[in-house]
Amino acid sequence: QVQLVESGGGLVQAGGSLRLSCLASGTIFSRNAMGWYRQAPGKQRELVARIGSSGNTRYVDSVKGRFAISRDNAKNTVYLQMNSLKPEDTAVYYCNAEIAYGSGIQMYWGQGTQVTVSS
């Protein structure tokens, strides 16, 4: 059974930093693409950052240059370093795993962690 457990959210002032972590279990972590999504009140969930199994990364334009996604395959953990945080970054952040099976790709989600940026 695949499980994703996020940690590291909290309240921070604008301009501050936070690092989110997501520990994965029940899967061969190194083979999976991993991502961070976020959902603000009244808005759709959006992809923030994604890292492939080879380490290639992709970011939404609004966080480029401020956020960095990384992974440690030895620890089955993916990170999201968030710097220069803005009030508009306030959202619930979800860890995501894309796991390929013979029939296609299955998406798995963590429970989410709240990030609140005060102005």
mmCIF file of all heavy atoms in Angstrom, residues 46-93:
data_model
loop_
_atom_site.group_PDB
_atom_site.id
_atom_site.type_symbol
_atom_site.label_atom_id
_atom_site.label_comp_id
_atom_site.label_asym_id
_atom_site.label_seq_id
_atom_site.Cartn_x
_atom_site.Cartn_y
_atom_site.Cartn_z
ATOM 1 N N GLU A 46 -3.346 22.950 -8.135
ATOM 2 C CA GLU A 46 -2.403 23.191 -9.222
ATOM 3 C C GLU A 46 -1.057 22.536 -8.931
ATOM 4 O O GLU A 46 -0.639 22.411 -7.766
ATOM 5 C CB GLU A 46 -2.185 24.699 -9.448
ATOM 6 C CG GLU A 46 -1.485 25.421 -8.315
ATOM 7 C CD GLU A 46 -1.074 26.845 -8.675
ATOM 8 O OE1 GLU A 46 -1.156 27.232 -9.860
ATOM 9 O OE2 GLU A 46 -0.655 27.563 -7.749
ATOM 10 N N LEU A 47 -0.391 22.132 -9.994
ATOM 11 C CA LEU A 47 0.948 21.586 -9.870
ATOM 12 C C LEU A 47 1.918 22.717 -9.557
ATOM 13 O O LEU A 47 1.964 23.717 -10.266
ATOM 14 C CB LEU A 47 1.362 20.882 -11.162
ATOM 15 C CG LEU A 47 2.792 20.380 -11.228
ATOM 16 C CD1 LEU A 47 3.038 19.280 -10.210
ATOM 17 C CD2 LEU A 47 3.133 19.892 -12.629
ATOM 18 N N VAL A 48 2.695 22.556 -8.514
ATOM 19 C CA VAL A 48 3.710 23.542 -8.141
ATOM 20 C C VAL A 48 5.069 23.143 -8.714
ATOM 21 O O VAL A 48 5.758 23.956 -9.334
ATOM 22 C CB VAL A 48 3.809 23.669 -6.613
ATOM 23 C CG1 VAL A 48 4.931 24.626 -6.223
ATOM 24 C CG2 VAL A 48 2.481 24.119 -6.026
ATOM 25 N N ALA A 49 5.461 21.905 -8.486
ATOM 26 C CA ALA A 49 6.766 21.427 -8.936
ATOM 27 C C ALA A 49 6.713 19.918 -9.098
ATOM 28 O O ALA A 49 5.973 19.235 -8.381
ATOM 29 C CB ALA A 49 7.864 21.809 -7.948
ATOM 30 N N ARG A 50 7.526 19.446 -10.031
ATOM 31 C CA ARG A 50 7.571 18.014 -10.301
ATOM 32 C C ARG A 50 9.012 17.615 -10.548
ATOM 33 O O ARG A 50 9.792 18.368 -11.158
ATOM 34 C CB ARG A 50 6.712 17.675 -11.520
ATOM 35 C CG ARG A 50 6.659 16.208 -11.902
ATOM 36 C CD ARG A 50 5.835 16.021 -13.165
ATOM 37 N NE ARG A 50 5.680 14.631 -13.562
ATOM 38 C CZ ARG A 50 6.557 13.956 -14.272
ATOM 39 N NH1 ARG A 50 7.673 14.555 -14.675
ATOM 40 N NH2 ARG A 50 6.316 12.697 -14.598
ATOM 41 N N ILE A 51 9.375 16.418 -10.080
ATOM 42 C CA ILE A 51 10.716 15.895 -10.333
ATOM 43 C C ILE A 51 10.576 14.472 -10.831
ATOM 44 O O ILE A 51 9.910 13.637 -10.209
ATOM 45 C CB ILE A 51 11.608 15.995 -9.073
ATOM 46 C CG1 ILE A 51 13.028 15.546 -9.388
ATOM 47 C CG2 ILE A 51 11.024 15.224 -7.895
ATOM 48 C CD1 ILE A 51 14.038 15.930 -8.297
ATOM 49 N N GLY A 52 11.193 14.213 -11.972
ATOM 50 C CA GLY A 52 11.122 12.886 -12.552
ATOM 51 C C GLY A 52 12.088 11.918 -11.895
ATOM 52 O O GLY A 52 12.913 12.296 -11.055
ATOM 53 N N SER A 53 11.989 10.667 -12.292
ATOM 54 C CA SER A 53 12.868 9.651 -11.729
ATOM 55 C C SER A 53 14.330 9.913 -12.072
ATOM 56 O O SER A 53 15.234 9.517 -11.322
ATOM 57 C CB SER A 53 12.464 8.261 -12.223
ATOM 58 O OG SER A 53 12.480 8.214 -13.636
ATOM 59 N N SER A 54 14.576 10.630 -13.165
ATOM 60 C CA SER A 54 15.946 10.953 -13.563
ATOM 61 C C SER A 54 16.434 12.258 -12.949
ATOM 62 O O SER A 54 17.585 12.643 -13.148
ATOM 63 C CB SER A 54 16.040 11.042 -15.087
ATOM 64 O OG SER A 54 15.188 12.061 -15.570
ATOM 65 N N GLY A 55 15.557 12.946 -12.226
ATOM 66 C CA GLY A 55 15.948 14.195 -11.581
ATOM 67 C C GLY A 55 15.562 15.454 -12.333
ATOM 68 O O GLY A 55 15.815 16.565 -11.856
ATOM 69 N N ASN A 56 14.954 15.306 -13.494
ATOM 70 C CA ASN A 56 14.521 16.498 -14.227
ATOM 71 C C ASN A 56 13.368 17.161 -13.485
ATOM 72 O O ASN A 56 12.520 16.494 -12.904
ATOM 73 C CB ASN A 56 14.107 16.129 -15.645
ATOM 74 C CG ASN A 56 13.052 15.044 -15.677
ATOM 75 O OD1 ASN A 56 13.244 13.971 -15.132
ATOM 76 N ND2 ASN A 56 11.918 15.338 -16.296
ATOM 77 N N THR A 57 13.351 18.479 -13.523
ATOM 78 C CA THR A 57 12.366 19.230 -12.738
ATOM 79 C C THR A 57 11.521 20.153 -13.614
ATOM 80 O O THR A 57 11.924 20.554 -14.713
ATOM 81 C CB THR A 57 13.052 20.070 -11.656
ATOM 82 O OG1 THR A 57 13.986 20.964 -12.281
ATOM 83 C CG2 THR A 57 13.800 19.191 -10.669
ATOM 84 N N ARG A 58 10.358 20.468 -13.075
ATOM 85 C CA ARG A 58 9.442 21.393 -13.749
ATOM 86 C C ARG A 58 8.721 22.191 -12.689
ATOM 87 O O ARG A 58 8.360 21.647 -11.631
ATOM 88 C CB ARG A 58 8.464 20.603 -14.604
ATOM 89 C CG ARG A 58 7.408 21.406 -15.304
ATOM 90 C CD ARG A 58 6.818 20.646 -16.482
ATOM 91 N NE ARG A 58 6.300 19.341 -16.119
ATOM 92 C CZ ARG A 58 5.003 19.089 -15.914
ATOM 93 N NH1 ARG A 58 4.119 20.061 -15.990
ATOM 94 N NH2 ARG A 58 4.594 17.866 -15.624
ATOM 95 N N TYR A 59 8.492 23.493 -12.952
ATOM 96 C CA TYR A 59 7.853 24.377 -11.985
ATOM 97 C C TYR A 59 6.751 25.200 -12.646
ATOM 98 O O TYR A 59 6.858 25.561 -13.818
ATOM 99 C CB TYR A 59 8.870 25.351 -11.375
ATOM 100 C CG TYR A 59 9.996 24.693 -10.631
ATOM 101 C CD1 TYR A 59 11.184 24.343 -11.278
ATOM 102 C CD2 TYR A 59 9.885 24.409 -9.273
ATOM 103 C CE1 TYR A 59 12.215 23.730 -10.595
ATOM 104 C CE2 TYR A 59 10.918 23.802 -8.585
ATOM 105 C CZ TYR A 59 12.074 23.461 -9.249
ATOM 106 O OH TYR A 59 13.099 22.854 -8.563
ATOM 107 N N VAL A 60 5.768 25.548 -11.858
ATOM 108 C CA VAL A 60 4.798 26.528 -12.320
ATOM 109 C C VAL A 60 5.491 27.884 -12.343
ATOM 110 O O VAL A 60 6.392 28.156 -11.527
ATOM 111 C CB VAL A 60 3.553 26.527 -11.394
ATOM 112 C CG1 VAL A 60 3.881 27.040 -10.001
ATOM 113 C CG2 VAL A 60 2.425 27.333 -12.016
ATOM 114 N N ASP A 61 5.116 28.742 -13.278
ATOM 115 C CA ASP A 61 5.828 30.016 -13.467
ATOM 116 C C ASP A 61 5.887 30.857 -12.198
ATOM 117 O O ASP A 61 6.885 31.522 -11.923
ATOM 118 C CB ASP A 61 5.157 30.819 -14.588
ATOM 119 C CG ASP A 61 5.451 30.249 -15.966
ATOM 120 O OD1 ASP A 61 6.360 29.410 -16.084
ATOM 121 O OD2 ASP A 61 4.778 30.659 -16.931
ATOM 122 N N SER A 62 4.843 30.822 -11.411
ATOM 123 C CA SER A 62 4.752 31.709 -10.247
ATOM 124 C C SER A 62 5.764 31.392 -9.146
ATOM 125 O O SER A 62 5.976 32.216 -8.254
ATOM 126 C CB SER A 62 3.336 31.675 -9.667
ATOM 127 O OG SER A 62 3.005 30.365 -9.255
ATOM 128 N N VAL A 63 6.390 30.220 -9.194
ATOM 129 C CA VAL A 63 7.354 29.860 -8.148
ATOM 130 C C VAL A 63 8.784 29.715 -8.676
ATOM 131 O O VAL A 63 9.702 29.468 -7.897
ATOM 132 C CB VAL A 63 6.958 28.559 -7.417
ATOM 133 C CG1 VAL A 63 5.523 28.640 -6.914
ATOM 134 C CG2 VAL A 63 7.165 27.336 -8.289
ATOM 135 N N LYS A 64 8.962 29.881 -9.970
ATOM 136 C CA LYS A 64 10.312 29.736 -10.540
ATOM 137 C C LYS A 64 11.268 30.737 -9.907
ATOM 138 O O LYS A 64 10.957 31.906 -9.764
ATOM 139 C CB LYS A 64 10.257 29.930 -12.050
ATOM 140 C CG LYS A 64 9.648 28.762 -12.797
ATOM 141 C CD LYS A 64 9.624 29.017 -14.306
ATOM 142 C CE LYS A 64 9.002 27.830 -15.046
ATOM 143 N NZ LYS A 64 8.908 28.091 -16.510
ATOM 144 N N GLY A 65 12.432 30.238 -9.526
ATOM 145 C CA GLY A 65 13.429 31.083 -8.890
ATOM 146 C C GLY A 65 13.260 31.214 -7.387
ATOM 147 O O GLY A 65 14.152 31.734 -6.705
ATOM 148 N N ARG A 66 12.128 30.739 -6.860
ATOM 149 C CA ARG A 66 11.880 30.829 -5.412
ATOM 150 C C ARG A 66 11.790 29.441 -4.764
ATOM 151 O O ARG A 66 12.196 29.275 -3.619
ATOM 152 C CB ARG A 66 10.582 31.587 -5.147
ATOM 153 C CG ARG A 66 10.573 33.011 -5.661
ATOM 154 C CD ARG A 66 9.335 33.760 -5.170
ATOM 155 N NE ARG A 66 8.090 33.175 -5.649
ATOM 156 C CZ ARG A 66 7.108 32.755 -4.854
ATOM 157 N NH1 ARG A 66 7.232 32.826 -3.541
ATOM 158 N NH2 ARG A 66 5.996 32.245 -5.377
ATOM 159 N N PHE A 67 11.236 28.484 -5.470
ATOM 160 C CA PHE A 67 11.053 27.136 -4.932
ATOM 161 C C PHE A 67 12.015 26.173 -5.615
ATOM 162 O O PHE A 67 12.373 26.352 -6.780
ATOM 163 C CB PHE A 67 9.626 26.642 -5.179
ATOM 164 C CG PHE A 67 8.553 27.336 -4.382
ATOM 165 C CD1 PHE A 67 8.794 28.496 -3.671
ATOM 166 C CD2 PHE A 67 7.273 26.806 -4.356
ATOM 167 C CE1 PHE A 67 7.800 29.124 -2.952
ATOM 168 C CE2 PHE A 67 6.259 27.414 -3.640
ATOM 169 C CZ PHE A 67 6.520 28.589 -2.928
ATOM 170 N N ALA A 68 12.382 25.129 -4.884
ATOM 171 C CA ALA A 68 13.235 24.086 -5.451
ATOM 172 C C ALA A 68 12.765 22.729 -4.959
ATOM 173 O O ALA A 68 12.647 22.503 -3.745
ATOM 174 C CB ALA A 68 14.692 24.311 -5.076
ATOM 175 N N ILE A 69 12.528 21.835 -5.899
ATOM 176 C CA ILE A 69 12.146 20.469 -5.551
ATOM 177 C C ILE A 69 13.376 19.578 -5.669
ATOM 178 O O ILE A 69 14.210 19.762 -6.554
ATOM 179 C CB ILE A 69 10.999 19.966 -6.464
ATOM 180 C CG1 ILE A 69 10.460 18.625 -5.975
ATOM 181 C CG2 ILE A 69 11.438 19.893 -7.925
ATOM 182 C CD1 ILE A 69 9.179 18.187 -6.687
ATOM 183 N N SER A 70 13.491 18.635 -4.746
ATOM 184 C CA SER A 70 14.612 17.699 -4.780
ATOM 185 C C SER A 70 14.144 16.373 -4.201
ATOM 186 O O SER A 70 13.075 16.289 -3.588
ATOM 187 C CB SER A 70 15.807 18.240 -3.998
ATOM 188 O OG SER A 70 15.470 18.434 -2.629
ATOM 189 N N ARG A 71 14.962 15.356 -4.413
ATOM 190 C CA ARG A 71 14.601 14.045 -3.899
ATOM 191 C C ARG A 71 15.830 13.341 -3.357
ATOM 192 O O ARG A 71 16.943 13.559 -3.846
ATOM 193 C CB ARG A 71 13.941 13.202 -4.985
ATOM 194 C CG ARG A 71 14.820 12.871 -6.178
ATOM 195 C CD ARG A 71 14.000 12.256 -7.320
ATOM 196 N NE ARG A 71 13.346 11.019 -6.909
ATOM 197 C CZ ARG A 71 12.288 10.511 -7.527
ATOM 198 N NH1 ARG A 71 11.765 11.134 -8.573
ATOM 199 N NH2 ARG A 71 11.749 9.380 -7.102
ATOM 200 N N ASP A 72 15.612 12.507 -2.347
ATOM 201 C CA ASP A 72 16.667 11.672 -1.786
ATOM 202 C C ASP A 72 16.149 10.236 -1.853
ATOM 203 O O ASP A 72 15.338 9.814 -1.023
ATOM 204 C CB ASP A 72 16.952 12.080 -0.340
ATOM 205 C CG ASP A 72 18.123 11.322 0.268
ATOM 206 O OD1 ASP A 72 18.427 10.195 -0.198
ATOM 207 O OD2 ASP A 72 18.731 11.835 1.214
ATOM 208 N N ASN A 73 16.592 9.518 -2.862
ATOM 209 C CA ASN A 73 16.071 8.167 -3.076
ATOM 210 C C ASN A 73 16.459 7.208 -1.942
ATOM 211 O O ASN A 73 15.744 6.253 -1.664
ATOM 212 C CB ASN A 73 16.555 7.619 -4.414
ATOM 213 C CG ASN A 73 15.907 8.324 -5.587
ATOM 214 O OD1 ASN A 73 14.829 8.922 -5.468
ATOM 215 N ND2 ASN A 73 16.574 8.283 -6.736
ATOM 216 N N ALA A 74 17.573 7.480 -1.294
ATOM 217 C CA ALA A 74 17.996 6.627 -0.186
ATOM 218 C C ALA A 74 17.054 6.764 1.015
ATOM 219 O O ALA A 74 16.929 5.846 1.824
ATOM 220 C CB ALA A 74 19.417 6.964 0.230
ATOM 221 N N LYS A 75 16.399 7.923 1.100
ATOM 222 C CA LYS A 75 15.481 8.172 2.218
ATOM 223 C C LYS A 75 14.016 8.115 1.796
ATOM 224 O O LYS A 75 13.127 8.407 2.607
ATOM 225 C CB LYS A 75 15.772 9.542 2.837
ATOM 226 C CG LYS A 75 17.153 9.636 3.475
ATOM 227 C CD LYS A 75 17.362 11.002 4.119
ATOM 228 C CE LYS A 75 18.721 11.073 4.803
ATOM 229 N NZ LYS A 75 18.954 12.400 5.430
ATOM 230 N N ASN A 76 13.758 7.780 0.546
ATOM 231 C CA ASN A 76 12.383 7.740 0.036
ATOM 232 C C ASN A 76 11.646 9.046 0.304
ATOM 233 O O ASN A 76 10.450 9.044 0.649
ATOM 234 C CB ASN A 76 11.605 6.571 0.659
ATOM 235 C CG ASN A 76 11.978 5.229 0.062
ATOM 236 O OD1 ASN A 76 12.905 5.118 -0.738
ATOM 237 N ND2 ASN A 76 11.259 4.191 0.449
ATOM 238 N N THR A 77 12.325 10.145 0.124
ATOM 239 C CA THR A 77 11.778 11.444 0.491
ATOM 240 C C THR A 77 11.951 12.454 -0.634
ATOM 241 O O THR A 77 13.004 12.490 -1.285
ATOM 242 C CB THR A 77 12.447 11.972 1.766
ATOM 243 O OG1 THR A 77 12.229 11.030 2.839
ATOM 244 C CG2 THR A 77 11.864 13.318 2.174
ATOM 245 N N VAL A 78 10.911 13.253 -0.831
ATOM 246 C CA VAL A 78 10.973 14.377 -1.750
ATOM 247 C C VAL A 78 10.766 15.650 -0.927
ATOM 248 O O VAL A 78 10.012 15.657 0.040
ATOM 249 C CB VAL A 78 9.921 14.247 -2.871
ATOM 250 C CG1 VAL A 78 8.510 14.244 -2.334
ATOM 251 C CG2 VAL A 78 10.098 15.326 -3.919
ATOM 252 N N TYR A 79 11.475 16.695 -1.336
ATOM 253 C CA TYR A 79 11.454 17.956 -0.604
ATOM 254 C C TYR A 79 10.974 19.086 -1.505
ATOM 255 O O TYR A 79 11.107 19.040 -2.723
ATOM 256 C CB TYR A 79 12.858 18.300 -0.099
ATOM 257 C CG TYR A 79 13.494 17.240 0.747
ATOM 258 C CD1 TYR A 79 14.387 16.326 0.189
ATOM 259 C CD2 TYR A 79 13.215 17.139 2.108
ATOM 260 C CE1 TYR A 79 14.982 15.338 0.967
ATOM 261 C CE2 TYR A 79 13.810 16.161 2.891
ATOM 262 C CZ TYR A 79 14.687 15.269 2.316
ATOM 263 O OH TYR A 79 15.276 14.296 3.095
ATOM 264 N N LEU A 80 10.449 20.108 -0.863
ATOM 265 C CA LEU A 80 10.151 21.351 -1.561
ATOM 266 C C LEU A 80 10.679 22.498 -0.692
ATOM 267 O O LEU A 80 10.129 22.784 0.368
ATOM 268 C CB LEU A 80 8.651 21.532 -1.803
ATOM 269 C CG LEU A 80 8.286 22.764 -2.621
ATOM 270 C CD1 LEU A 80 8.794 22.614 -4.066
ATOM 271 C CD2 LEU A 80 6.782 23.004 -2.625
ATOM 272 N N GLN A 81 11.765 23.088 -1.143
ATOM 273 C CA GLN A 81 12.329 24.247 -0.462
ATOM 274 C C GLN A 81 11.639 25.485 -1.004
ATOM 275 O O GLN A 81 11.671 25.733 -2.216
ATOM 276 C CB GLN A 81 13.838 24.334 -0.701
ATOM 277 C CG GLN A 81 14.497 25.539 -0.053
ATOM 278 C CD GLN A 81 14.454 25.496 1.462
ATOM 279 O OE1 GLN A 81 14.712 24.464 2.069
ATOM 280 N NE2 GLN A 81 14.128 26.631 2.074
ATOM 281 N N MET A 82 11.020 26.243 -0.118
ATOM 282 C CA MET A 82 10.263 27.422 -0.523
ATOM 283 C C MET A 82 10.900 28.659 0.098
ATOM 284 O O MET A 82 10.935 28.790 1.329
ATOM 285 C CB MET A 82 8.806 27.287 -0.081
ATOM 286 C CG MET A 82 8.130 26.021 -0.580
ATOM 287 S SD MET A 82 6.377 25.953 -0.185
ATOM 288 C CE MET A 82 6.441 25.806 1.592
ATOM 289 N N ASN A 83 11.406 29.532 -0.749
ATOM 290 C CA ASN A 83 12.036 30.771 -0.299
ATOM 291 C C ASN A 83 11.241 31.971 -0.794
ATOM 292 O O ASN A 83 10.422 31.851 -1.709
ATOM 293 C CB ASN A 83 13.468 30.844 -0.822
ATOM 294 C CG ASN A 83 14.334 29.703 -0.332
ATOM 295 O OD1 ASN A 83 14.194 29.221 0.791
ATOM 296 N ND2 ASN A 83 15.240 29.247 -1.185
ATOM 297 N N SER A 84 11.508 33.121 -0.200
ATOM 298 C CA SER A 84 10.843 34.368 -0.599
ATOM 299 C C SER A 84 9.337 34.171 -0.693
ATOM 300 O O SER A 84 8.700 34.553 -1.684
ATOM 301 C CB SER A 84 11.402 34.854 -1.941
ATOM 302 O OG SER A 84 12.791 35.050 -1.857
ATOM 303 N N LEU A 85 8.781 33.577 0.325
ATOM 304 C CA LEU A 85 7.355 33.244 0.295
ATOM 305 C C LEU A 85 6.489 34.498 0.254
ATOM 306 O O LEU A 85 6.840 35.547 0.833
ATOM 307 C CB LEU A 85 6.985 32.395 1.506
ATOM 308 C CG LEU A 85 7.387 30.921 1.381
ATOM 309 C CD1 LEU A 85 7.451 30.240 2.735
ATOM 310 C CD2 LEU A 85 6.422 30.190 0.455
ATOM 311 N N LYS A 86 5.376 34.370 -0.450
ATOM 312 C CA LYS A 86 4.425 35.466 -0.625
ATOM 313 C C LYS A 86 3.064 35.039 -0.063
ATOM 314 O O LYS A 86 2.758 33.846 -0.016
ATOM 315 C CB LYS A 86 4.275 35.789 -2.110
ATOM 316 C CG LYS A 86 5.571 36.137 -2.813
ATOM 317 C CD LYS A 86 5.343 36.343 -4.298
ATOM 318 C CE LYS A 86 6.631 36.682 -5.027
ATOM 319 N NZ LYS A 86 6.401 36.882 -6.485
ATOM 320 N N PRO A 87 2.229 36.003 0.319
ATOM 321 C CA PRO A 87 0.889 35.645 0.813
ATOM 322 C C PRO A 87 0.119 34.771 -0.180
ATOM 323 O O PRO A 87 -0.653 33.903 0.244
ATOM 324 C CB PRO A 87 0.235 37.003 1.016
ATOM 325 C CG PRO A 87 1.368 37.917 1.339
ATOM 326 C CD PRO A 87 2.501 37.440 0.476
ATOM 327 N N GLU A 88 0.337 34.975 -1.469
ATOM 328 C CA GLU A 88 -0.376 34.186 -2.468
ATOM 329 C C GLU A 88 0.106 32.742 -2.535
ATOM 330 O O GLU A 88 -0.491 31.925 -3.255
ATOM 331 C CB GLU A 88 -0.296 34.838 -3.856
ATOM 332 C CG GLU A 88 1.092 35.203 -4.291
ATOM 333 C CD GLU A 88 1.429 36.662 -4.019
ATOM 334 O OE1 GLU A 88 1.101 37.165 -2.911
ATOM 335 O OE2 GLU A 88 2.023 37.301 -4.909
ATOM 336 N N ASP A 89 1.148 32.399 -1.818
ATOM 337 C CA ASP A 89 1.584 31.010 -1.721
ATOM 338 C C ASP A 89 0.789 30.246 -0.661
ATOM 339 O O ASP A 89 0.945 29.027 -0.525
ATOM 340 C CB ASP A 89 3.065 30.924 -1.359
ATOM 341 C CG ASP A 89 3.970 31.486 -2.445
ATOM 342 O OD1 ASP A 89 3.706 31.201 -3.631
ATOM 343 O OD2 ASP A 89 4.933 32.188 -2.108
ATOM 344 N N THR A 90 -0.043 30.942 0.074
ATOM 345 C CA THR A 90 -0.853 30.298 1.098
ATOM 346 C C THR A 90 -1.787 29.265 0.475
ATOM 347 O O THR A 90 -2.540 29.573 -0.445
ATOM 348 C CB THR A 90 -1.682 31.343 1.867
ATOM 349 O OG1 THR A 90 -0.790 32.205 2.576
ATOM 350 C CG2 THR A 90 -2.627 30.674 2.850
ATOM 351 N N ALA A 91 -1.708 28.042 0.972
ATOM 352 C CA ALA A 91 -2.503 26.943 0.419
ATOM 353 C C ALA A 91 -2.226 25.683 1.225
ATOM 354 O O ALA A 91 -1.307 25.653 2.054
ATOM 355 C CB ALA A 91 -2.146 26.696 -1.040
ATOM 356 N N VAL A 92 -3.009 24.655 0.954
ATOM 357 C CA VAL A 92 -2.666 23.320 1.418
ATOM 358 C C VAL A 92 -1.790 22.690 0.344
ATOM 359 O O VAL A 92 -2.172 22.685 -0.837
ATOM 360 C CB VAL A 92 -3.914 22.466 1.672
ATOM 361 C CG1 VAL A 92 -3.510 21.051 2.102
ATOM 362 C CG2 VAL A 92 -4.799 23.115 2.738
ATOM 363 N N TYR A 93 -0.646 22.194 0.743
ATOM 364 C CA TYR A 93 0.294 21.589 -0.182
ATOM 365 C C TYR A 93 0.218 20.066 -0.075
ATOM 366 O O TYR A 93 0.265 19.511 1.035
ATOM 367 C CB TYR A 93 1.714 22.075 0.112
ATOM 368 C CG TYR A 93 1.964 23.474 -0.372
ATOM 369 C CD1 TYR A 93 1.341 24.564 0.247
ATOM 370 C CD2 TYR A 93 2.797 23.725 -1.463
ATOM 371 C CE1 TYR A 93 1.540 25.852 -0.211
ATOM 372 C CE2 TYR A 93 3.003 25.016 -1.924
ATOM 373 C CZ TYR A 93 2.370 26.070 -1.294
ATOM 374 O OH TYR A 93 2.581 27.364 -1.748
#
